[in-house]
Structures are given as structure tokens and as C-alpha cells.
Amino acid sequence: MKKFDERIIRYILITERPKIPGNMVLPPLCNTSLPIFPYLGRYPKSLDQFALGSDFFSTYFFCGLKMGYNFSVVYLEDLYDESKDWFYANENIIQLFFLSIKTENVSQLSDFLLRNHYSNICYQCINMSDDERLSFLPNFISNYWDFLCFLWHKTFLYIPQDLLNSRDVFSVSIDAREFDRGSFFRPTQVNTFTIQSILGNWGVPLLDNELSEKQSNDAQLEEMDKAKTDKDKFVRQQIFVRQIKQFDSIIMRLIYYSGTKIFRVQDNIFLPLIIVAPFNNPLINKLLEINEADTFNKKLQKRGYKVMMELEQDKNYTHSIKMNNDEYESLTEYIPLGLALFERRKTFLDNAGFLHASFTYSPYIRLPLIGKSIYDLLSSMSLDDGTMLVSEGNVCEIRNKISEIGKLIAENIISAELQETIKNRDSQLVVITDMPFEWIMIDNIPLGFTHDICRIPETPNGGIMAQYMHNSFWDFEIPINILEKTLVVFGCTDERFSLWQQLVVEMQQELHFEICVCSNINQFVEKIRSKSPLFLIIDSHGDADVDTNQSYIMLGEEKLTPAIIADNNIAIPLIFLSACNTAPTYITMNTVANAFFERGARSVTSSYLPLDVDVSSVAYIRLLRQLSKCAKEGCHKNWLSFISYILRTSFIMSPYVQAKLKGDIGMEETLKEETDKVSKSLIFSERRKIYREIQEGFKANKKLYSTDLIRPEYLFYSNLGRGDLVYFNSWKLMKENKVMDIRK
């Protein structure tokens, strides 16, 4: 029988590398903007998932495992490059090649595939007709049933017989008719496929499968027309809400039938929620500014694309182009190109959302696209204005601005029903967006306090897929001795920094991490190469440059820029940047965090705004202290839970710390109350109550101490990457042992 690794199914998209026309200002999205998820979603990740269905899912859920699709893109020029090994020539692996190429390239590809064919490879055309020269390939797939039948025969060759005998294979344990069978609103189909794969209901006919091609097209047009009549209502979004309830009902059934002994109150009940919140980054508009050197056609082209980049969707995901007839006629040639780019972007995001959701069988939501309607308010927290606002120290104004931005975003793109669902749903959030999603307000409480949130920047769009690929092919868990593989870099040793750094030096002997003072780039690069840390903290000044569109960190008098990180191949799984402005909210996309992602980082904690040296220093000192305990005892499930706890509790503790520093309370007077709130904040259901309590505050020496008087610095941070997929090894071992005990 085959090993488990050989029972995983590989899916490879073979296509041409996208070319950028010489007159095109904007680069096209990568070829994952082809409609991939409607094909991939019908197929299993492995033969075990195919045969064992819901039993396979329950094992992964209870053990807290992750497993995305083994999916990759291969361009024709790389396929034919003889200097590169034919990576897929492993006859023990089942593989499906999705083919999407131009007609003129068919013959050469067909010849190549025939020469390299073996019995475990299948072929399917997507987004192109079944060219007869390809349809004659061995194991050519005309429809999804062909491949499912192929897998059925392979199952008995690859999976041990005793495993098949001990399970109810190829069965759907729950009546699938209770669950989603698709809609004509495309992004919701991501959840349709995920739900059916959880149930093991392979080959389920969706609504449009029961219609002829004409009937299906008519139904889609009818759905789109109806959406336009309800453009001021969140009608389509309610489909997502219903689907989330279906996901959660499956989880609650599993918990009911298995008992609750394997769950801890601090671990989230439900699967992470994957949210795409597309935002028209104003930086793109900056690229489209017309200058005198532009030709007449170039000016028209820029104007055409600018119209598209300023386009927003209404609450029901529809849009309209607003311009006078003369302007429309002059841009006739470029409007269709812009619309095509707009459609490719939406498809790309749905593909990416599907792939990211596949790691944990998560529900998916794509929110309506917004942009210029929030520019004015968001610009108040831009690099210049935000820095000025924070430096002036007006806590009330800072808090009000964050609240205004959060309320406006929520009002524009999230229905009341979805807000209520997110508010009460005990899960982590994974958000693909360029907006500060942590600032979204639900019932006047920011999501960044109530939920663990990790964010994947939408621009540059390649980072979204890079995050998926890194987490797919290179697993990383936090070892018990993580502190021995931790490096703390002091890039600035000014007086305000050195006061806190002395405490870090004193902790070093006890906790066994390493410290390095780096006064230039060479020292930093050499230290990284010699130490190869798993966790990096950089304590220094940081900032961003609007003209060069990049953020940087100071190492002495030198700047650590994205280019330096990339050129020196600085690859570190976990990073905490205790530095200002490393990921500003407005008009910056080339950040140091993105550079770390390109080299394989799993999580990079960055800052939207300037940080206070005292507050930020205490935060990472607490992080080091708590990490020592958590890595050994498994207090937290994953890195996202741990980092969110550190930032959230720093805010909870802030009024007590302030009162102690001013001598208005002693160390013991409110210690129990403070400790109680910090401890309860581990529990999702307690956080809203805690937030209101710390807002009300307490009196000490006739003074009121509350968080209304303290800068909400925890909201200045953003946890970038998929920290939810980085598990603590101690937690995972504990979880697996509990599952084994219950199943004995």
C-alpha cells in the first residue's frame, strides 16, 4: 500500500505566463484569476478525504490539523525548460493537470505531455474548449464524474484494506439535502464546495447542473437583474450568513456526538472565518496620474482605467459607471479592458479565498468592493496626518478617528445580520484586505479587541498566493524551545530605548534568547545567517517613504528596506516589529512585512501608526515572558491567539499600570481585579463585557482610571500572514492525546 504522502492528490494548472502589454499601466493579475475553484472544489485533497468523507473531516477538526489543496501553477516556458527537472515525474502520485492555453500552443503541449505521461496523470481543460488534440490524451477528463470514477478505482490500491474495513467509506453521514447546493451568486459557491467536501458528498449536482446551458445563463442574468433592483440592501450577503450557520451546525453536531472533554474554554469553537474585503487602494490611482509626456492614447487609457479603479460596489455587489456620454464615447476602447480587469480581480480573490479556506474547511465571505467613499476619512490616519495626530497625543481624537473609520467601513460593506453573526461567532478571522479591518466597530467595540485577527494585504496581489504556497508546502510548528531560537535585535539604543532594553538584557540569562545590537545592515544580515532564528523581534525606529512607496526600519543610521530583505533572502517564520509605521494604512504597499512574506515568513506583526516607546517595549517584553510559558504548556492553540492575547491584555492592564505609576494604588490593591480580567479575556464570550468594564474604569485616590484616557495602541498593530495556521507544538500534542483518550 502507498504511504499517506502518496495518497495526497496534486493539482497543477498549466498555462502561459501572463504578458504585460507595452502600453498597459497596471500589471495583470496572475493566472489564478481564471475560474479555478468551480473545478478544484469538486475534487478531494487526498484519497483519504475522498473515501472517508466526514470521518476524515472530524479527525482533522478535533486534532486541529490543516491541509490545503496541493495546487500549483506551471508556465509553459518552465515546462519545456530542459535545465529544470520534470518535478511531476513521480509515478506514485495521482495528479490532475488543468490545461488552459491558447490554440497555437496546443500541439507542442500535447506532444510534451504524451512523452511524459504515466498512468496516474489525468488532464482536464478549463476556460478553453476541449481541443481534439488534447482530448486524445490518455486519462483525459471530460467532466468531474470522470475524475471521481478514476479516484474510486485508485482508492483500493492506495488505502490500506484494514482502514477501509474499519470505516464507513464513501458514505454521507448527514442528510446533504439539508445543506447548500449552490446559488447563482458566484462567491457563495466557494462555501458550497467546502460544505459538500466536509460531508463527503462528492459529485453532488448543484443548481445550475440541473439546467441546460441556456437555462443556467438565463438564471444567472435574472439573478443579476434582481440584485440591481435591491442595490441598497444586503440581499446577496444573506446567502453567506445562511452558509456560515450551516458550517457551524455541522461543528455543533460533531461536538455533541463526541462530547466536550477535548475542548478548552480558551480555544475557539468554530472554524476560522475567511473574509475578503476588497479595497481600491489610492496608490493605484497615483500610478494613473496623467503627465505632460503621455501621448493622447496613453491619457485616454489612464482615464479609462482610473474610472474602473474608482468604481465601488453597492451593498448588493452591483455597480454602475457614472460619466457623461461624451466622456464615455472617448473611452469606449478602454472601458471594456477595465471591466475585464475588474472581473479578473474578483475571480482571483474568490480563487485565493477558496484556497485559503481549504486549509481548515473554513467558511468564506467576499464583501462589496469599496474605495473612494472612505478615502477622506482614512487619509486622516495616513502616514503624514496619522503621524501628526498621534504625536499631538490627543487620545480622544485618535480614538474617535479609529471609531469613525471602523463604523464607516462596517456600514458600507457589512449587513446588520452579518455583523451579528461575526459578533457572536467564537472564531478567529483571516482577512484579505488593505484596510485596517481590526478597527471595524460592532456595537461600539472594535473587532481587534473581541477577535483574533490576522490580515493578508491585498496589494501586491502576489503576496496572497505566496502566503498560500508557503503554508501548503512547508509546515511550521512552534517548538517548546522556541526562545532558544529567538533573536532580539536592538536597532536603536537611544536613552528611551535603552531603559527598557536593559530589562531585556536581564531576562536573557533566564529565558535563553539571544540579543544583538545592529548598527548597520551588514551586522544584521550576518547575524541572521549565523543564528537562523525561528522568531525575530526588531526594536528600533521605523517609518515609511511616500515617494518611494516603501516602509523601512532603522539599524543605526542605515535603513532596512524591502529590497535588502529580498536580496539577502532573509527567511524567518515569525517576526514582531516593534517599530513605527511599518505598515501604514494609506498609500503604501511595498512594506518590510511584504518583503519578509516573499521569503517565507508565516506571521509578521507590523504597525499602522507610530508606537510609543514605553508601551511598545512593555508589549514585546511581556511577549517574551509569556512565550516562555506558552511554548511549554500549550496555553494557546496558535501564534495568532498568542499575539492577540498579548496586545489585547496590554490594553486591559493599561489603566491599572497608569494608576500604579502615579502612586494612586498599590501593587496588591487591584491585582486580583486586573488578573481576573486578563485571565477571562482568554474566553471569547467574556471580552465584550471586559471591554465595557475597562471603559467604565475604576476610582483610585478620587481619580477615575479608564481606557478612555489611554491611547488604544493595541489597534496600531496588525498581525499579517496566517498566524492561525502556526500551531504550538505543545498544544498540538496535548490535543492529539486527548482525542486518542476519548477514542479508546
Side-chain angles (χ1 to χ4, degrees):
M1 294 299 169
K2 305 295 184 182
K3 300 180 293 183
F4 179 74
D5 286 351
E6 293 177 349
R7 304 201 298 259
I8 292 172
I9 304 166
R10 284 180 181 164
Y11 297 94
I12 302 101
L13 170 63
I14 297 180
T15 187
E16 294 98 350
R17 188 181 297 278
K19 295 181 180 178
I20 303 175
N23 64 342
M24 192 170 184
V25 187
L26 300 176
L29 293 169
C30 64
N31 280 81
T32 43
S33 59
L34 295 172
I36 292 166
F37 75 86
Y39 294 89
L40 194 58
R42 296 183 183 277
Y43 302 139
K45 305 169 193 174
S46 70
L47 284 177
D48 294 75
Q49 185 193 19
F50 179 56
L52 306 178
S54 59
D55 192 29
F56 179 88
F57 166 73
S58 64
T59 300
Y60 268 67
F61 172 72
F62 287 130
C63 292
L65 304 177
K66 68 167 179 122
M67 181 181 179
Y69 277 91
N70 191 316
F71 172 80
S72 55
V73 179
V74 176
Y75 297 116
L76 288 181
E77 62 191 69
D78 296 326
L79 195 67
Y80 303 143
D81 188 345
E82 294 182 359
S83 66
K84 298 179 181 179
D85 292 333
W86 175 232
F87 179 73
Y88 305 99
N90 184 335
E91 62 184 23
N92 294 318
I93 300 291
I94 295 173
Q95 302 177 79
L96 174 56
F97 290 173
F98 293 123
L99 310 177
S100 182
I101 61 172
K102 296 173 184 175
T103 304
E104 60 265 26
N105 294 323
V106 166
S107 294
Q108 184 181 8
L109 176 61
S110 177
D111 292 343
F112 179 86
L113 293 176
L114 281 171
R115 289 198 307 271
N116 292 278
H117 176 76
Y118 56 88
S119 61
N120 274 344
I121 293 183
C122 296
Y123 312 92
Q124 182 174 8
C125 291
I126 67 170
N127 205 42
M128 64 176 290
S129 60
D130 293 355
D131 190 290
E132 62 178 16
R133 289 167 292 179
L134 293 174
S135 61
F136 281 110
L137 289 169
N139 297 339
F140 184 84
I141 302 301
S142 297
N143 56 63
Y144 62 91
W145 275 110
D146 289 347
F147 189 57
L148 294 178
C149 290
F150 177 86
L151 295 180
W152 188 86
H153 290 290
K154 294 293 181 182
T155 299
F156 301 97
L157 298 175
Y158 276 69
I159 299 181
Q161 193 63 46
D162 58 344
L163 178 59
L164 294 174
N165 292 339
S166 65
R167 307 294 180 93
D168 193 6
V169 297
F170 299 114
S171 65
V172 182
S173 57
I174 301 174
D175 187 350
R177 290 172 297 183
E178 299 178 24
F179 293 91
D180 189 78
R181 290 186 59 222
S183 81
F184 292 108
F185 181 40
R186 181 180 287 258
T188 63
Q189 293 175 6
V190 169
N191 291 325
T192 302
F193 292 120
T194 305
I195 289 171
Q196 298 303 334
S197 71
I198 287 174
L199 301 175
N201 196 22
W202 306 108
V204 59
L206 304 183
L207 291 180
D208 58 348
N209 295 130
E210 298 173 352
L211 305 174
S212 67
E213 185 176 353
K214 183 181 184 307
Q215 289 174 325
S216 179
N217 290 336
D218 289 345
Q220 290 185 53
L221 290 172
E222 183 180 345
E223 192 277 338
M224 290 171 63
D225 288 340
K226 190 174 186 307
K228 291 175 182 177
T229 63
D230 294 320
K231 64 180 182 179
D232 295 324
K233 302 175 185 176
F234 285 107
V235 177
R236 283 171 153 179
Q237 202 166 94
Q238 302 317 106
I239 303 173
F240 287 122
V241 175
R242 291 196 299 271
Q243 289 175 324
I244 292 170
K245 289 178 180 177
Q246 290 179 359
F247 276 92
D248 295 351
S249 71
I250 294 171
I251 298 304
M252 294 309 295
R253 290 189 195 197
L254 282 176
I255 293 172
Y256 175 79
Y257 287 117
S258 65
T260 58
K261 294 179 182 178
I262 60 174
F263 289 93
R264 307 181 307 174
V265 290
Q266 68 263 43
D267 291 338
N268 299 105
I269 296 173
F270 298 114
L271 303 165
L273 184 58
I274 311 296
I275 301 174
V276 166
F279 173 63
N280 277 339
N281 196 316
L283 181 63
I284 302 297
N285 282 336
K286 193 175 179 183
L287 296 176
L288 296 171
E289 290 176 357
I290 296 172
N291 57 62
E292 293 181 4
D294 288 337
T295 63
F296 178 74
N297 285 339
K298 189 72 148 183
K299 290 177 182 178
L300 285 179
Q301 183 202 38
K302 285 186 175 182
R303 283 170 57 197
Y305 281 123
K306 194 175 176 73
V307 168
M308 292 302 103
M309 292 311 301
E310 290 179 348
L311 199 63
E312 292 186 295
Q313 291 180 311
D314 54 44
K315 293 179 179 179
N316 214 23
Y317 298 84
T318 68
H319 61 266
S320 58
I321 302 171
K322 298 176 181 178
M323 61 178 70
N324 60 50
N325 290 337
D326 291 342
E327 187 177 18
Y328 188 85
E329 285 182 12
S330 68
L331 300 176
T332 299
E333 181 182 349
Y334 299 103
I335 294 295
L337 292 174
L339 284 171
L341 190 66
F342 184 71
E343 290 301 317
R344 290 185 70 185
R345 176 183 180 186
K346 290 189 296 181
T347 303
F348 166 76
L349 290 173
D350 289 339
N351 285 334
F354 170 77
L355 289 169
H356 277 280
S358 73
F359 281 123
T360 48
Y361 297 88
S362 289
Y364 167 75
I365 295 173
R366 170 155 58 83
L367 301 173
L369 167 70
I370 58 172
K372 63 180 181 181
S373 61
I374 67 168
Y375 284 171
D376 287 346
L377 193 53
L378 195 59
S379 67
S380 66
M381 285 298 190
S382 65
L383 186 60
D384 293 332
D385 293 346
T387 298
M388 184 179 298
L389 180 63
V390 172
S391 64
E392 289 171 352
N394 189 328
V395 172
C396 184
E397 189 174 355
I398 294 169
R399 193 178 65 248
N400 288 344
K401 283 292 184 187
I402 289 175
S403 178
E404 281 183 67
I405 292 168
K407 287 177 180 177
L408 182 61
I409 294 173
E411 179 185 312
N412 283 358
I413 61 176
I414 309 178
S415 69
E417 292 83 357
L418 182 54
Q419 288 188 40
E420 194 68 15
T421 298
I422 294 173
K423 166 185 159 184
N424 296 314
R425 190 173 189 272
D426 184 358
S427 78
Q428 296 182 319
L429 305 181
V430 180
V431 191
I432 298 174
T433 189
D434 287 339
M435 293 184 287
F437 208 83
E438 301 89 341
W439 297 359
I440 282 182
M441 306 293 286
I442 297 182
D443 290 348
N444 294 313
I445 300 178
L447 274 183
F449 186 88
T450 57
H451 290 70
D452 303 339
I453 301 175
C454 57
R455 188 170 65 84
I456 303 174
E458 185 186 351
T459 50
N461 58 68
I464 301 173
M465 290 306 298
Q467 272 290 296
Y468 178 77
M469 301 304 283
H470 290 315
N471 282 286
S472 293
F473 297 113
W474 298 280
D475 203 11
F476 174 73
E477 292 178 1
I478 302 167
I480 291 173
N481 65 339
I482 181 69
L483 280 172
E484 295 175 17
K485 301 176 185 297
T486 295
L487 176 65
V488 180
V489 171
F490 297 155
C492 174
T493 54
D494 294 347
E495 185 177 356
R496 286 195 67 191
F497 283 82
S498 62
L499 289 172
W500 295 105
Q501 288 169 355
Q502 185 56 43
L503 290 178
V504 180
V505 172
E506 292 170 6
M507 292 167 57
Q508 181 184 14
Q509 188 171 0
E510 175 192 354
L511 300 181
H512 308 295
F513 56 84
E514 189 165 342
I515 296 172
C516 176
V517 178
C518 292
S519 56
N520 58 59
I521 300 299
N522 284 339
Q523 286 181 344
F524 175 74
V525 172
E526 288 173 8
K527 191 64 181 179
I528 295 296
R529 287 175 177 165
S530 63
K531 173 71 176 177
S532 297
L534 298 181
F535 178 35
L536 171 69
I537 297 175
I538 302 181
D539 180 22
S540 189
H541 289 297
D543 212 339
D545 187 337
V546 175
D547 293 332
T548 60
N549 178 37
Q550 66 177 1
S551 63
Y552 57 85
I553 300 172
M554 298 302 299
L555 297 176
E557 298 299 317
E558 297 181 2
K559 295 178 180 179
L560 177 64
T561 64
I564 292 172
I565 293 168
D567 292 345
N568 288 280
N569 196 26
I570 298 174
I572 303 164
L574 303 173
I575 299 166
F576 188 93
L577 302 178
S578 186
C580 302
N581 289 326
T582 48
T585 63
Y586 197 76
I587 314 190
T588 305
M589 67 168 72
N590 189 19
T591 65
V592 288
N594 284 335
F596 282 124
F597 283 146
E598 288 177 12
R599 292 296 174 262
R602 304 308 171 87
S603 176
V604 182
T605 301
S606 293
S607 55
Y608 286 127
L609 293 162
L611 303 174
D612 178 82
V613 173
D614 297 334
V615 177
S616 60
S617 297
V618 169
Y620 87 77
I621 289 172
R622 284 188 62 238
L623 186 158
L624 286 166
R625 181 70 67 185
Q626 291 291 323
L627 184 57
S628 172
K629 177 183 178 182
C630 187
K632 296 172 185 173
E633 300 177 8
C635 312
H636 294 269
K637 173 181 180 177
N638 53 38
W639 187 251
L640 175 59
S641 170
F642 173 67
I643 287 291
S644 300
Y645 168 80
I646 294 295
L647 298 176
R648 181 184 299 120
T649 53
S650 68
F651 187 59
I652 294 172
M653 296 165 61
S654 55
Y656 298 98
V657 171
Q658 193 176 72
K660 291 169 190 173
L661 290 174
K662 291 188 176 181
D664 289 331
I665 59 171
M667 292 298 293
E668 302 299 325
E669 289 180 63
T670 58
L671 183 61
K672 184 179 183 305
E673 180 182 313
E674 178 186 358
T675 303
D676 184 57
K677 284 185 172 63
V678 168
S679 178
K680 284 184 176 178
S681 72
L682 284 167
I683 306 169
F684 174 80
S685 59
E686 295 285 341
R687 290 176 195 158
R688 303 188 75 81
K689 179 184 175 183
I690 292 170
Y691 187 87
R692 292 190 176 98
E693 287 176 351
I694 61 178
Q695 266 194 317
E696 292 173 3
F698 61 90
K699 283 190 176 180
N701 197 19
K702 298 181 180 180
K703 298 176 188 174
L704 178 66
Y705 285 94
S706 79
T707 54
D708 279 350
L709 307 173
I710 294 168
R711 199 166 78 176
E713 187 142 330
Y714 74 105
L715 291 175
F716 292 9
Y717 290 94
S718 189
N719 297 311
L720 305 178
R722 291 294 308 259
D724 65 307
L725 298 178
V726 180
Y727 299 120
F728 281 92
N729 184 257
S730 53
W731 175 88
K732 194 171 177 182
L733 290 173
M734 176 188 65
K735 186 79 167 178
E736 290 173 354
N737 289 336
K738 284 189 175 184
V739 172
M740 292 296 293
D741 289 342
I742 285 178
R743 291 190 169 181
K744 284 179 181 177

